[in-house]
Amino acid sequence: MTASEQSQAASAGKGPLDGVVVLDLSRILAGPTCTQVLGDLGATIIKIEHPERGDDTRTWGPPFALGEDGEATDLSSYFMCANRNKLSVAVDIATPEGQETIQQIAARADILIENFKPGGLEKYGLDHRTVLATYQQLIYCSISGFGHTGPNREKPGYDLMAQGYSGIMSLTGEADGAPVKVAVGIADVMTGMYASVGILAALRHRDQTGEGQHVDLSLVDASLAWMINEGVAHLTTGKPRPRRGHQHATIVPYQTFACADGFVLVAVGNDLQYTRFCDFLGRPDLADDPRFATNSARVVNREVLIPMLEALMTEHSQAEIVAGLEARKVPVGPVNTVEQAFASDQAKAREMRIDMAKEGIDRGAVELIGNPLKFSATPVTYRRPPPHLGEDTQAVLEWLEGKRAAPEG
């Protein structure tokens, strides 16, 4: 989406959260992911950053967006991935002046989100109990490593630790290899998603009753929750879950296969699809064999079946497999690189790759990932590119002093 198209979209209609003000005391990824979602939906996000350090992720690079002089700016790609549609206000929360500014914003806010260690905001008078006692209409969302209760509540939490603690790493990687983390900060991202759902539910409750509340999320809880079928399988059997690499625990075949010129994904979801898969391979007998005729039988006998399928797949090119299985209505696809995924016609058609105009940047714009939500009546809007540190401080302070209207988020 071009800058002009963004402007047209923003002026065409207001997002569903237009008028909602969010005080964002979070940093790194989980909290910023949540507030970016809310911002894309039209909320005004006031992001508080330390005047000197800013959000930790501003320095997590390279790569960085380059200025017109060719030098790195404070906009790392990591920071930009979760901080569009936000106002950056440089405030030192450790000073009385900074705390007063935050209190003034809280008085005008609908939502406050923070990711300090439990108890870390008490010394500033900004913990959830103190703030909610004063601003009873506020939705106050806390994100931490282990949550505000339990024996580990005071331990710090990072995505990597959550992936390890929750068990997801024990399932990720080759069967005979070491545990592997998911390549992106998925524990942070999923916690941010859960946070946005929880906040919107609390907002609806507040709008109906006038009552705010505390929403408490932890990276570990979210990671345990998205263990889904594997987690429930363990709870059902009481047995350890093995690492299976690129294979599925309870569907066979549902995995990556090497082919003559690369890799391909095959997701056989039922027995009819399996019969069609075997037809493509020229081995209808593998569908008739009682060891493999049903999915349950294939799961039990996967160690016999998979090597046979792997050998057959190497006889075909990726293009042959994709065309042949698509013609037979068997789910199939390539293993794309990141470059191929964003260059695809599908990504372009769904506007998952966007440009946002940004003054002072060498290309005049930054390139970002689009929001996956597609609304028929209240589309998401891309109103503000990721901000430089403190670029909106003066505007917000003047608003608090009554010298100007509220800055547009």
mmCIF file of all heavy atoms in Angstrom, residues 251-282:
data_model
loop_
_atom_site.group_PDB
_atom_site.id
_atom_site.type_symbol
_atom_site.label_atom_id
_atom_site.label_comp_id
_atom_site.label_asym_id
_atom_site.label_seq_id
_atom_site.Cartn_x
_atom_site.Cartn_y
_atom_site.Cartn_z
ATOM 1 N N ILE A 251 -1.072 -36.995 12.407
ATOM 2 C CA ILE A 251 -1.513 -37.064 11.014
ATOM 3 C C ILE A 251 -0.331 -37.531 10.161
ATOM 4 O O ILE A 251 0.765 -36.969 10.261
ATOM 5 C CB ILE A 251 -2.006 -35.700 10.485
ATOM 6 C CG1 ILE A 251 -3.060 -35.105 11.407
ATOM 7 C CG2 ILE A 251 -2.582 -35.854 9.075
ATOM 8 C CD1 ILE A 251 -3.478 -33.698 11.014
ATOM 9 N N VAL A 252 -0.534 -38.529 9.330
ATOM 10 C CA VAL A 252 0.528 -39.081 8.476
ATOM 11 C C VAL A 252 -0.051 -39.369 7.089
ATOM 12 O O VAL A 252 -1.103 -40.025 6.985
ATOM 13 C CB VAL A 252 1.113 -40.373 9.082
ATOM 14 C CG1 VAL A 252 2.129 -41.003 8.129
ATOM 15 C CG2 VAL A 252 1.766 -40.092 10.442
ATOM 16 N N PRO A 253 0.607 -38.880 6.027
ATOM 17 C CA PRO A 253 1.776 -37.991 5.996
ATOM 18 C C PRO A 253 1.364 -36.517 6.053
ATOM 19 O O PRO A 253 0.425 -36.104 5.368
ATOM 20 C CB PRO A 253 2.414 -38.310 4.644
ATOM 21 C CG PRO A 253 1.269 -38.726 3.778
ATOM 22 C CD PRO A 253 0.277 -39.396 4.682
ATOM 23 N N TYR A 254 2.067 -35.754 6.850
ATOM 24 C CA TYR A 254 1.806 -34.326 7.046
ATOM 25 C C TYR A 254 3.152 -33.719 7.406
ATOM 26 O O TYR A 254 3.483 -33.592 8.582
ATOM 27 C CB TYR A 254 0.785 -34.154 8.173
ATOM 28 C CG TYR A 254 0.219 -32.769 8.361
ATOM 29 C CD1 TYR A 254 -1.086 -32.471 7.981
ATOM 30 C CD2 TYR A 254 0.966 -31.759 8.953
ATOM 31 C CE1 TYR A 254 -1.638 -31.215 8.184
ATOM 32 C CE2 TYR A 254 0.439 -30.496 9.144
ATOM 33 C CZ TYR A 254 -0.862 -30.227 8.766
ATOM 34 O OH TYR A 254 -1.397 -28.974 8.973
ATOM 35 N N GLN A 255 3.955 -33.363 6.372
ATOM 36 C CA GLN A 255 5.346 -33.027 6.645
ATOM 37 C C GLN A 255 6.040 -32.440 5.428
ATOM 38 O O GLN A 255 5.444 -32.278 4.371
ATOM 39 C CB GLN A 255 6.087 -34.303 7.058
ATOM 40 C CG GLN A 255 6.145 -35.353 5.944
ATOM 41 C CD GLN A 255 6.850 -36.614 6.399
ATOM 42 O OE1 GLN A 255 6.250 -37.426 7.094
ATOM 43 N NE2 GLN A 255 8.097 -36.772 6.000
ATOM 44 N N THR A 256 7.309 -32.150 5.617
ATOM 45 C CA THR A 256 8.179 -31.733 4.525
ATOM 46 C C THR A 256 8.792 -32.969 3.877
ATOM 47 O O THR A 256 9.198 -33.905 4.563
ATOM 48 C CB THR A 256 9.312 -30.836 5.059
ATOM 49 O OG1 THR A 256 8.744 -29.717 5.736
ATOM 50 C CG2 THR A 256 10.198 -30.336 3.927
ATOM 51 N N PHE A 257 8.854 -32.945 2.543
ATOM 52 C CA PHE A 257 9.544 -33.994 1.797
ATOM 53 C C PHE A 257 10.608 -33.364 0.913
ATOM 54 O O PHE A 257 10.376 -32.318 0.287
ATOM 55 C CB PHE A 257 8.578 -34.768 0.890
ATOM 56 C CG PHE A 257 7.684 -35.734 1.608
ATOM 57 C CD1 PHE A 257 6.365 -35.396 1.882
ATOM 58 C CD2 PHE A 257 8.149 -36.985 1.995
ATOM 59 C CE1 PHE A 257 5.529 -36.284 2.527
ATOM 60 C CE2 PHE A 257 7.316 -37.885 2.648
ATOM 61 C CZ PHE A 257 5.996 -37.530 2.923
ATOM 62 N N ALA A 258 11.774 -34.004 0.863
ATOM 63 C CA ALA A 258 12.778 -33.609 -0.122
ATOM 64 C C ALA A 258 12.343 -34.123 -1.483
ATOM 65 O O ALA A 258 11.836 -35.245 -1.605
ATOM 66 C CB ALA A 258 14.141 -34.194 0.253
ATOM 67 N N CYS A 259 12.508 -33.287 -2.504
ATOM 68 C CA CYS A 259 12.208 -33.713 -3.864
ATOM 69 C C CYS A 259 13.466 -33.547 -4.710
ATOM 70 O O CYS A 259 14.544 -33.262 -4.184
ATOM 71 C CB CYS A 259 11.029 -32.922 -4.436
ATOM 72 S SG CYS A 259 11.191 -31.141 -4.349
ATOM 73 N N ALA A 260 13.346 -33.706 -6.019
ATOM 74 C CA ALA A 260 14.538 -33.711 -6.871
ATOM 75 C C ALA A 260 15.282 -32.391 -6.863
ATOM 76 O O ALA A 260 16.496 -32.351 -7.064
ATOM 77 C CB ALA A 260 14.148 -34.081 -8.300
ATOM 78 N N ASP A 261 14.563 -31.288 -6.614
ATOM 79 C CA ASP A 261 15.217 -29.980 -6.705
ATOM 80 C C ASP A 261 14.887 -29.057 -5.535
ATOM 81 O O ASP A 261 14.914 -27.841 -5.664
ATOM 82 C CB ASP A 261 14.823 -29.288 -8.016
ATOM 83 C CG ASP A 261 13.312 -29.142 -8.162
ATOM 84 O OD1 ASP A 261 12.573 -29.678 -7.313
ATOM 85 O OD2 ASP A 261 12.881 -28.475 -9.119
ATOM 86 N N GLY A 262 14.559 -29.603 -4.377
ATOM 87 C CA GLY A 262 14.255 -28.758 -3.225
ATOM 88 C C GLY A 262 13.397 -29.471 -2.207
ATOM 89 O O GLY A 262 13.589 -30.665 -1.942
ATOM 90 N N PHE A 263 12.433 -28.755 -1.681
ATOM 91 C CA PHE A 263 11.549 -29.314 -0.657
ATOM 92 C C PHE A 263 10.111 -28.936 -0.964
ATOM 93 O O PHE A 263 9.835 -27.913 -1.595
ATOM 94 C CB PHE A 263 11.924 -28.790 0.732
ATOM 95 C CG PHE A 263 13.278 -29.238 1.203
ATOM 96 C CD1 PHE A 263 14.404 -28.473 0.926
ATOM 97 C CD2 PHE A 263 13.429 -30.424 1.902
ATOM 98 C CE1 PHE A 263 15.657 -28.891 1.352
ATOM 99 C CE2 PHE A 263 14.675 -30.845 2.327
ATOM 100 C CZ PHE A 263 15.799 -30.075 2.048
ATOM 101 N N VAL A 264 9.207 -29.785 -0.495
ATOM 102 C CA VAL A 264 7.791 -29.552 -0.704
ATOM 103 C C VAL A 264 7.038 -29.994 0.547
ATOM 104 O O VAL A 264 7.499 -30.882 1.281
ATOM 105 C CB VAL A 264 7.295 -30.317 -1.948
ATOM 106 C CG1 VAL A 264 7.331 -31.820 -1.710
ATOM 107 C CG2 VAL A 264 5.910 -29.852 -2.371
ATOM 108 N N LEU A 265 5.911 -29.358 0.805
ATOM 109 C CA LEU A 265 5.064 -29.701 1.943
ATOM 110 C C LEU A 265 3.849 -30.475 1.465
ATOM 111 O O LEU A 265 3.203 -30.079 0.489
ATOM 112 C CB LEU A 265 4.592 -28.436 2.655
ATOM 113 C CG LEU A 265 5.686 -27.563 3.272
ATOM 114 C CD1 LEU A 265 5.117 -26.205 3.636
ATOM 115 C CD2 LEU A 265 6.285 -28.241 4.490
ATOM 116 N N VAL A 266 3.532 -31.547 2.155
ATOM 117 C CA VAL A 266 2.334 -32.326 1.841
ATOM 118 C C VAL A 266 1.543 -32.486 3.136
ATOM 119 O O VAL A 266 2.088 -32.911 4.156
ATOM 120 C CB VAL A 266 2.682 -33.707 1.250
ATOM 121 C CG1 VAL A 266 1.414 -34.519 1.020
ATOM 122 C CG2 VAL A 266 3.458 -33.543 -0.044
ATOM 123 N N ALA A 267 0.252 -32.129 3.075
ATOM 124 C CA ALA A 267 -0.601 -32.207 4.263
ATOM 125 C C ALA A 267 -1.821 -33.062 3.941
ATOM 126 O O ALA A 267 -2.852 -32.566 3.494
ATOM 127 C CB ALA A 267 -1.031 -30.809 4.692
ATOM 128 N N VAL A 268 -1.691 -34.352 4.149
ATOM 129 C CA VAL A 268 -2.777 -35.292 3.852
ATOM 130 C C VAL A 268 -3.714 -35.335 5.056
ATOM 131 O O VAL A 268 -3.393 -35.934 6.084
ATOM 132 C CB VAL A 268 -2.210 -36.691 3.537
ATOM 133 C CG1 VAL A 268 -3.340 -37.706 3.416
ATOM 134 C CG2 VAL A 268 -1.388 -36.653 2.254
ATOM 135 N N GLY A 269 -4.877 -34.691 4.913
ATOM 136 C CA GLY A 269 -5.765 -34.547 6.053
ATOM 137 C C GLY A 269 -6.776 -35.648 6.244
ATOM 138 O O GLY A 269 -7.401 -35.731 7.298
ATOM 139 N N ASN A 270 -6.953 -36.519 5.235
ATOM 140 C CA ASN A 270 -7.911 -37.614 5.393
ATOM 141 C C ASN A 270 -7.517 -38.774 4.478
ATOM 142 O O ASN A 270 -6.586 -38.659 3.667
ATOM 143 C CB ASN A 270 -9.343 -37.136 5.099
ATOM 144 C CG ASN A 270 -9.492 -36.531 3.717
ATOM 145 O OD1 ASN A 270 -9.135 -37.157 2.715
ATOM 146 N ND2 ASN A 270 -10.019 -35.306 3.654
ATOM 147 N N ASP A 271 -8.236 -39.876 4.586
ATOM 148 C CA ASP A 271 -7.867 -41.097 3.861
ATOM 149 C C ASP A 271 -8.096 -40.976 2.354
ATOM 150 O O ASP A 271 -7.358 -41.572 1.560
ATOM 151 C CB ASP A 271 -8.646 -42.289 4.419
ATOM 152 C CG ASP A 271 -8.301 -42.574 5.879
ATOM 153 O OD1 ASP A 271 -7.178 -42.210 6.298
ATOM 154 O OD2 ASP A 271 -9.155 -43.137 6.588
ATOM 155 N N LEU A 272 -9.095 -40.202 1.935
ATOM 156 C CA LEU A 272 -9.315 -40.003 0.508
ATOM 157 C C LEU A 272 -8.153 -39.234 -0.112
ATOM 158 O O LEU A 272 -7.686 -39.573 -1.207
ATOM 159 C CB LEU A 272 -10.628 -39.256 0.277
ATOM 160 C CG LEU A 272 -10.973 -38.940 -1.187
ATOM 161 C CD1 LEU A 272 -11.047 -40.227 -2.010
ATOM 162 C CD2 LEU A 272 -12.286 -38.168 -1.259
ATOM 163 N N GLN A 273 -7.671 -38.227 0.585
ATOM 164 C CA GLN A 273 -6.509 -37.483 0.091
ATOM 165 C C GLN A 273 -5.283 -38.391 0.021
ATOM 166 O O GLN A 273 -4.469 -38.283 -0.907
ATOM 167 C CB GLN A 273 -6.224 -36.278 0.985
ATOM 168 C CG GLN A 273 -7.263 -35.176 0.881
ATOM 169 C CD GLN A 273 -7.008 -34.045 1.856
ATOM 170 O OE1 GLN A 273 -6.089 -34.106 2.674
ATOM 171 N NE2 GLN A 273 -7.834 -33.006 1.782
ATOM 172 N N TYR A 274 -5.170 -39.297 0.974
ATOM 173 C CA TYR A 274 -4.041 -40.224 0.956
ATOM 174 C C TYR A 274 -4.109 -41.135 -0.269
ATOM 175 O O TYR A 274 -3.096 -41.401 -0.923
ATOM 176 C CB TYR A 274 -4.017 -41.057 2.236
ATOM 177 C CG TYR A 274 -2.935 -42.113 2.242
ATOM 178 C CD1 TYR A 274 -1.587 -41.760 2.287
ATOM 179 C CD2 TYR A 274 -3.267 -43.469 2.160
ATOM 180 C CE1 TYR A 274 -0.591 -42.729 2.266
ATOM 181 C CE2 TYR A 274 -2.280 -44.444 2.145
ATOM 182 C CZ TYR A 274 -0.940 -44.060 2.197
ATOM 183 O OH TYR A 274 0.046 -45.015 2.162
ATOM 184 N N THR A 275 -5.295 -41.592 -0.596
ATOM 185 C CA THR A 275 -5.454 -42.432 -1.793
ATOM 186 C C THR A 275 -5.033 -41.670 -3.040
ATOM 187 O O THR A 275 -4.347 -42.216 -3.920
ATOM 188 C CB THR A 275 -6.921 -42.893 -1.918
ATOM 189 O OG1 THR A 275 -7.265 -43.677 -0.772
ATOM 190 C CG2 THR A 275 -7.130 -43.720 -3.178
ATOM 191 N N ARG A 276 -5.419 -40.416 -3.132
ATOM 192 C CA ARG A 276 -5.041 -39.593 -4.285
ATOM 193 C C ARG A 276 -3.534 -39.338 -4.307
ATOM 194 O O ARG A 276 -2.917 -39.283 -5.373
ATOM 195 C CB ARG A 276 -5.785 -38.266 -4.232
ATOM 196 C CG ARG A 276 -7.299 -38.396 -4.414
ATOM 197 C CD ARG A 276 -7.979 -37.095 -4.078
ATOM 198 N NE ARG A 276 -9.421 -37.159 -4.287
ATOM 199 C CZ ARG A 276 -10.270 -36.241 -3.840
ATOM 200 N NH1 ARG A 276 -9.816 -35.196 -3.137
ATOM 201 N NH2 ARG A 276 -11.561 -36.364 -4.072
ATOM 202 N N PHE A 277 -2.936 -39.176 -3.132
ATOM 203 C CA PHE A 277 -1.486 -38.988 -3.023
ATOM 204 C C PHE A 277 -0.763 -40.223 -3.570
ATOM 205 O O PHE A 277 0.189 -40.108 -4.359
ATOM 206 C CB PHE A 277 -1.139 -38.731 -1.556
ATOM 207 C CG PHE A 277 0.329 -38.550 -1.268
ATOM 208 C CD1 PHE A 277 1.126 -37.712 -2.036
ATOM 209 C CD2 PHE A 277 0.922 -39.215 -0.200
ATOM 210 C CE1 PHE A 277 2.474 -37.534 -1.747
ATOM 211 C CE2 PHE A 277 2.254 -39.057 0.090
ATOM 212 C CZ PHE A 277 3.036 -38.207 -0.685
ATOM 213 N N CYS A 278 -1.220 -41.389 -3.172
ATOM 214 C CA CYS A 278 -0.601 -42.627 -3.649
ATOM 215 C C CYS A 278 -0.794 -42.798 -5.157
ATOM 216 O O CYS A 278 0.084 -43.334 -5.856
ATOM 217 C CB CYS A 278 -1.182 -43.827 -2.898
ATOM 218 S SG CYS A 278 -0.767 -43.873 -1.139
ATOM 219 N N ASP A 279 -1.912 -42.338 -5.676
ATOM 220 C CA ASP A 279 -2.150 -42.389 -7.115
ATOM 221 C C ASP A 279 -1.114 -41.544 -7.853
ATOM 222 O O ASP A 279 -0.572 -41.970 -8.879
ATOM 223 C CB ASP A 279 -3.560 -41.893 -7.416
ATOM 224 C CG ASP A 279 -3.828 -41.801 -8.917
ATOM 225 O OD1 ASP A 279 -3.923 -42.851 -9.571
ATOM 226 O OD2 ASP A 279 -3.913 -40.661 -9.435
ATOM 227 N N PHE A 280 -0.845 -40.360 -7.336
ATOM 228 C CA PHE A 280 0.176 -39.512 -7.958
ATOM 229 C C PHE A 280 1.530 -40.212 -7.961
ATOM 230 O O PHE A 280 2.277 -40.155 -8.946
ATOM 231 C CB PHE A 280 0.288 -38.174 -7.212
ATOM 232 C CG PHE A 280 1.517 -37.392 -7.568
ATOM 233 C CD1 PHE A 280 1.600 -36.702 -8.777
ATOM 234 C CD2 PHE A 280 2.623 -37.361 -6.719
ATOM 235 C CE1 PHE A 280 2.752 -36.003 -9.128
ATOM 236 C CE2 PHE A 280 3.769 -36.664 -7.058
ATOM 237 C CZ PHE A 280 3.838 -35.983 -8.265
ATOM 238 N N LEU A 281 1.860 -40.869 -6.875
ATOM 239 C CA LEU A 281 3.157 -41.543 -6.768
ATOM 240 C C LEU A 281 3.222 -42.824 -7.594
ATOM 241 O O LEU A 281 4.294 -43.439 -7.706
ATOM 242 C CB LEU A 281 3.452 -41.870 -5.296
ATOM 243 C CG LEU A 281 3.653 -40.670 -4.363
ATOM 244 C CD1 LEU A 281 3.802 -41.147 -2.923
ATOM 245 C CD2 LEU A 281 4.876 -39.856 -4.776
ATOM 246 N N GLY A 282 2.098 -43.235 -8.158
ATOM 247 C CA GLY A 282 2.071 -44.485 -8.925
ATOM 248 C C GLY A 282 2.116 -45.712 -8.055
ATOM 249 O O GLY A 282 2.504 -46.796 -8.525
#
